Amino acid sequence: METIGRIHSIESFGSVDGPGVRYIYFLHGCPLRCQFCHNPDTWGSKKYEEYTPEKALQQAMKYKTYWGKKGGITISGGEPLAQIDFVLELFKLAKKEGINTCIDTSGGCFTREEPFFSKFNELMEYTDLLLVDIKEINNERHQLLTGRSNENILDMARYLSEIDKPIWIRHVLVPERSDYDEDLIELDHFISTLSNVYRVEILPYHTLGVFKWEELNIPYQLEGIKPPVKERVENAKRLLHVDRYTRYLDN
């Protein structure tokens, strides 16, 4: 049976989702229900196009001359690992062309159970970097914020450290949800136990996707919560010691 990917949207000149200039596929589907999600239309709507891995690579290759030495393809979402078969086949083709590959993931699909775990390990052979989104280190608050436990997400981060797969850690700073000093300190302690972290990034919460919630008639649970002020962002950077992580990937 032919592998098909459900593509929510495409960004041809991404500059913040991996090293260099990236061609980004945003995939449809996600197990989390983050209160701050700016793509809730990836959850269950029918707004997507179907691509084979071959078609997806051919589309991206049109822009290869712009990527330089560090750029390449990033698969984001939604949640890329919800379509692991498609990502695996696409990355196999991409590596044959010498393309840098990156996955932006919440880790919500990760499990050490089969058949997922074997597929994940094979995918890692063709993946250069993962951007791992840790929404909240406190499990109770994580469940409030995303609707799911963070136990398997943290397990994925530990496993990627075990196999020495390079990652960037990303944390969305949401006032009254994921900006508690004690949690940021705990997250810093967790990150310090990992040996594969090349960068730590603070992503300030924004409301640019609120209109999508309104279009889908989904109640927006962060109504009235404003983006964090500069002082809170700087405080988070300090507590997470983001300057400690300045390693670069060899491409």
Side-chain angles (χ1 to χ4, degrees), residues 51-247:
Y51 279 64
T52 63
E54 292 79 9
K55 178 182 176 181
L57 181 65
Q58 291 171 6
Q59 179 74 15
M61 289 286 285
K62 297 176 184 179
Y63 297 83
K64 187 178 181 181
T65 56
Y66 298 99
W67 298 343
K69 294 182 179 180
K70 293 185 177 181
I73 295 175
T74 293
I75 307 298
S76 186
E79 172 50 57
L81 297 181
Q83 298 190 51
I84 192 169
D85 293 328
F86 171 75
V87 180
L88 175 57
E89 294 306 312
L90 173 57
F91 277 14
K92 283 182 178 179
L93 296 174
K95 296 314 291 183
K96 288 181 180 178
E97 300 293 333
I99 297 172
N100 180 275
T101 55
C102 176
I103 298 174
D104 182 1
T105 175
S106 70
C109 292
F110 181 79
T111 176
R112 299 195 189 218
E113 296 181 1
E114 298 296 351
F116 179 90
F117 194 51
S118 292
K119 292 179 181 180
F120 183 80
N121 277 313
E122 185 177 6
L123 176 58
M124 291 304 96
E125 296 177 15
Y126 301 94
T127 303
D128 294 306
L129 172 70
L130 293 95
L131 314 182
V132 178
D133 303 318
I134 299 181
K135 316 292 186 180
E136 168 59 43
I137 192 69
N138 178 284
N139 195 27
E140 184 176 341
R141 287 180 178 142
H142 189 277
Q143 291 183 55
L144 171 65
L145 186 62
T146 72
R148 291 290 189 95
S149 168
N150 67 7
E151 292 179 358
N152 65 317
I153 296 168
L154 301 183
D155 187 42
M156 185 188 75
R158 294 188 192 97
Y159 181 68
L160 291 171
S161 179
E162 291 173 16
I163 64 174
D164 199 30
K165 179 60 62 176
I167 66 173
W168 293 359
I169 296 288
R170 291 175 145 186
H171 178 72
V172 179
L173 194 70
V174 186
E176 302 178 32
R177 293 293 190 277
S178 61
D179 71 338
Y180 298 97
D181 283 6
E182 62 269 29
D183 293 353
L184 293 168
I185 291 170
E186 184 179 349
L187 177 57
D188 175 61
H189 289 164
F190 174 76
I191 294 173
S192 70
T193 68
L194 307 176
S195 62
N196 60 332
V197 180
Y198 281 64
R199 181 178 298 185
V200 174
E201 297 181 327
I202 299 294
L203 307 179
Y205 160 72
H206 62 72
T207 58
L208 298 178
V210 173
F211 75 95
K212 295 184 180 181
W213 292 70
E214 296 171 349
E215 290 178 348
L216 295 167
N217 293 315
I218 304 175
Y220 190 66
Q221 298 184 52
L222 298 182
E223 189 71 38
I225 293 182
K226 298 180 179 180
V229 297
K230 181 179 179 181
E231 288 76 14
R232 290 303 299 169
V233 175
E234 293 303 316
N235 177 67
K237 290 180 179 180
R238 178 180 60 82
L239 292 177
L240 290 180
H241 299 92
V242 297
D243 293 339
R244 180 189 299 161
Y245 305 94
T246 58
R247 292 190 290 170

